[in-house]
Amino acid sequence: MHLTPRATQRIVFGALTAAMVLVIIPLIFVIGYIVVQGAGAISWEFLSGMPRNGMREGGILPAIVGTLFLTLGTAIFSVPIGIGGGIYLAEYAADTPLTRAIRLSIINLAGVPSVVYGLFGLGLFVLFLQFGTSILAGSLTLGILTLPVIISTSEEAIRSVPQSFRVVNAAVGGTKWQGIRRIVLPQALPGIITGVILGLERAAGETAPILFTVAAFFLPRLPHSIFDQTMALPYHLFVISTQVPSMPVQIQYGTALVLIVFVLSMNLTATLIRRHYRRRRQW
Amino acid sequence: METPAKIELQHVHFAYEDHEVLHDINLRIPPNQIFVLFGPAGSGKSTLLRLLNRLTDFSPEETHLQGKVLLDGQDIFAPDVDVTRLRQRAGMVFAKPVPLPLSIRDNITYGLTLGGRRDRSTLDETVERSLHAAALWDEVKDRLDDPGMALSGGQQQRLCLARTLALQPEVVLLDEPTSGLDPISTLQVEEALFQLRESVTFIVVPHSVQQAARVADRAAFLLMGELVEEGPADVLFTRPKDKRTEDYVTGRFG
């Protein structure tokens, strides 16, 4: 059988569309199901109250605040180091066995299961450095988990800035660092921000790394310092889904809904920032 | 005795990896005129130009230099040379205009602010002077805060010339500065050079022999990395001494 190019195109486009629909349907189904099941639980009290009666009633405020703090703490540790690493790899690192080893480590780090980060954090931060089970230890652990994403997206974004800008910077007497700071980084910023938010988003949703390093099973108050334990949304969800008997389903799905909205709104922010800068970019 | 050379090359050999691009170049470029380096593609013109403000340092390949390159008698490859200062004294305009992703104004002041100049009135003065010098002022004076990249190709190239001139360089290196421009824009760029040659030494790699003959005060003909002939433009383009120069100028090859 011989197909005309036009028919081939139709078939391939059809197949691609089908593939896309197949990917999206489960996503819509999952989110839709959580919204339907959980929307009823959302109320002011649920968002701003303390859990009561063995978490079967009341709100999830400590978990929301804990996740916010952990995300913030993760950002404080991983963003400067991650972007710095990206700058180093893209601009300064020569192609030596050492830098090849660094690159390989970053790629491998990105593939390490998150529970291993949790054990590592327990060993290094909680026990060896004696930070205890604390927001500090959890943030550091999540920070390490986030680093590979931030480093590699930053490096990629910095590399994609045209080389000609760097040459022009040098040609008018700029040092390498001046070129990076004044031309390259501003141009790479949308890509870097996207990477940062994607990395933090992953950290916000992780359970295993915080399991041994920070998360409290039940702690109905807000954390006072970075050496406090705290509840966090993903772990709280795990707890109320598996560890608490006769838990109202609505509260479980309500908690999942809050977590999903939190993560999706970070995602949306990344998209908006990227679109804002893309429109201003001219190359 | 002739005037001291602005730029002098003494027995310069230059190679990328093991591929020698320039063979034993000896050249004296006098100050304050338009000096043209011409020759067929691959003859080493651009490399020679880039050598003069050490943009060759950026080559991803390993480079080898023998001989001396002197600016006002000073070896620019000496270890104690301030390369940043050198590049301000000898500015470069590239074949493809590359405005920085900044406004027209900031493109021009970029080099100055790198050196720490902040004074608004000096900067504004520089913007106006440089844009006048590059024959661009009238076209952009009402939109200095627009992005440099929003300009047309010809305007972008004059913006790049203005950006180089803003640093008040003694030498300006131009690598086929009009290769992407229409004839009118080309003329405007050439006019700008004529206006400035009293105070600046221009070294131009032209995009055609015609342009070489049009703009040159003096010229040098390069072929396969060798300096074939050098002299005043009226001699070189009408009564060249070397047969190869004559063949190239009259269009027998190239």
Side-chain angles (χ1 to χ4, degrees), chain A:
Chain A
M1 190 179 74
H2 188 75
L3 289 171
T4 63
R6 182 177 291 271
T8 314
Q9 170 161 309
R10 276 232 189 92
I11 291 169
V12 174
F13 277 7
L16 291 174
T17 311
M20 185 194 69
V21 169
L22 274 177
V23 171
I24 289 179
I25 282 179
L27 182 70
I28 291 176
F29 182 75
V30 168
I31 294 179
Y33 191 74
I34 290 173
V35 171
V36 169
Q37 294 282 323
I42 305 297
S43 66
W44 181 244
E45 204 222 331
F46 185 68
L47 295 175
S48 68
M50 297 294 163
R52 282 183 284 112
N53 187 19
M55 296 180 270
R56 291 179 194 88
E57 286 172 40
I60 56 167
L61 182 66
I64 295 176
V65 170
T67 287
L68 274 176
F69 280 179
L70 282 174
T71 308
L72 194 69
T74 305
I76 289 170
F77 295 123
S78 63
V79 170
I81 298 176
I83 295 178
I87 295 174
Y88 171 75
L89 286 177
E91 296 283 345
Y92 291 99
D95 189 24
T96 62
L98 175 69
T99 56
R100 275 199 293 275
I102 293 177
R103 271 173 227 280
L104 196 65
S105 311
I106 292 169
I107 294 168
N108 280 319
L109 213 52
V112 170
S114 56
V115 68
V116 176
Y117 285 96
L119 279 172
F120 177 77
L122 173 68
L124 180 63
F125 301 123
V126 177
L127 300 176
F128 182 73
L129 294 174
Q130 301 189 347
F131 294 154
T133 311
S134 63
I135 292 182
L136 180 62
S139 299
L140 285 166
T141 308
L142 288 172
I144 296 177
L145 172 100
T146 314
L147 268 182
V149 180
I150 298 185
I151 293 176
S152 37
T153 47
S154 302
E155 182 187 356
E156 207 45 53
I158 290 166
R159 272 187 200 285
S160 72
V161 176
Q163 185 62 23
S164 54
F165 292 158
R166 297 178 181 83
V167 177
V168 166
N169 167 68
V172 295
T175 61
K176 189 175 177 115
W177 173 244
Q178 282 175 321
I180 292 171
R181 193 173 61 79
R182 298 189 41 173
I183 304 294
V184 176
L185 280 186
Q187 295 298 307
L189 202 59
I192 293 175
I193 292 174
T194 308
V196 164
I197 294 183
L198 289 177
L200 292 180
E201 190 180 293
R202 186 179 163 204
E206 280 288 355
T207 308
I210 58 173
L211 194 56
F212 322 118
T213 55
V214 51
F217 184 85
F218 178 66
L219 187 69
R221 62 173 172 82
L222 301 183
H224 299 303
S225 84
I226 56 170
F227 294 104
D228 253 10
Q229 288 192 40
T230 180
M231 297 176 79
L233 283 171
Y235 182 60
H236 182 62
L237 185 59
F238 166 74
V239 165
I240 59 177
S241 308
T242 60
Q243 311 290 308
V244 183
S246 65
M247 188 74 206
V249 173
Q250 212 181 34
I251 288 191
Q252 295 170 0
Y253 279 100
T255 306
L257 182 57
V258 170
L259 181 57
I260 280 192
V261 168
F262 185 82
V263 170
L264 284 186
S265 56
M266 284 174 74
N267 214 327
L268 186 69
T269 313
T271 310
L272 290 177
I273 290 174
R274 195 170 39 195
R275 213 173 56 182
H276 173 74
Y277 282 102
R278 277 277 155 76
R279 212 175 288 150
R280 291 199 341 204
R281 190 163 82 183
Q282 297 133 18
W283 42 274

Side-chain angles (χ1 to χ4, degrees), chain B:
Chain B
M1 187 59 205
E2 51 189 331
T3 50
K6 187 73 192 170
I7 288 175
E8 189 170 352
L9 283 80
Q10 296 173 346
H11 300 289
V12 168
H13 292 257
F14 186 81
Y16 294 108
E17 310 280 352
D18 5 307
H19 172 61
E20 190 161 286
V21 186
L22 297 171
H23 315 292
D24 196 27
I25 306 283
N26 288 287
L27 187 61
R28 290 169 56 84
I29 299 177
N32 301 343
Q33 46 169 272
I34 300 178
F35 191 96
V36 162
L37 288 168
F38 72 108
S43 52
K45 301 161 294 184
S46 293
T47 302
L48 178 48
L49 207 61
R50 278 157 192 266
L51 208 52
L52 300 182
N53 73 349
R54 289 184 53 172
L55 280 182
T56 44
D57 295 0
F58 280 84
S59 165
E61 292 163 280
E62 208 179 316
T63 60
H64 306 282
L65 171 74
Q66 281 172 44
K68 280 210 163 82
V69 183
L70 308 175
L71 174 63
D72 285 336
Q74 303 281 312
D75 183 354
I76 64 167
F77 284 90
D80 61 336
V81 165
D82 177 354
V83 184
T84 299
R85 179 79 196 106
L86 168 71
R87 295 202 177 118
Q88 288 172 345
R89 290 177 65 193
M92 180 87 154
V93 176
F94 300 91
K96 186 172 160 278
V98 182
L100 293 170
L102 303 168
S103 69
I104 293 173
R105 184 198 312 277
D106 292 347
N107 256 282
I108 293 172
T109 56
Y110 182 73
L112 287 176
T113 55
L114 288 177
R117 299 300 291 272
R118 290 280 180 276
D119 169 30
R120 185 62 193 243
S121 67
T122 317
L123 293 180
D124 282 347
E125 225 170 84
T126 305
V127 169
E128 186 168 347
R129 174 181 58 76
S130 313
L131 284 171
H132 269 303
L136 188 59
W137 174 253
D138 290 334
E139 291 159 62
V140 300
K141 63 179 178 215
D142 300 321
R143 48 184 179 128
L144 293 174
D145 292 311
D146 285 8
M149 289 186 179
L151 298 173
S152 74
Q155 290 172 327
Q156 286 188 11
Q157 191 58 299
R158 279 176 285 148
L159 177 65
C160 293
L161 179 60
R163 183 176 62 202
T164 304
L165 294 173
L167 295 164
Q168 299 193 286
E170 301 152 42
V171 178
V172 175
L173 313 166
L174 300 107
D175 190 1
E176 303 196 19
T178 59
S179 59
L181 304 189
D182 61 82
I184 292 170
S185 306
T186 299
L187 202 63
Q188 285 166 326
V189 172
E190 290 174 4
E191 278 300 327
L193 303 191
F194 289 137
Q195 298 291 324
L196 295 164
R197 68 173 146 182
E198 311 257 293
S199 53
V200 181
T201 308
F202 287 106
I203 303 174
V204 184
V205 171
H207 76 261
S208 67
V209 180
Q210 289 81 353
Q211 184 178 44
R214 211 162 47 229
V215 301
D217 293 313
R218 284 181 82 86
F221 176 57
L222 283 169
L223 186 60
M224 316 275 284
E226 239 175 276
L227 180 66
V228 175
E229 189 171 353
E230 186 270 335
D234 49 351
V235 177
L236 212 71
F237 292 108
T238 54
R239 297 167 269 122
K241 297 191 195 75
D242 196 290
K243 180 76 168 70
R244 290 170 294 174
T245 315
E246 188 184 335
D247 286 351
Y248 186 72
V249 168
T250 54
R252 242 167 259 154
F253 77 99

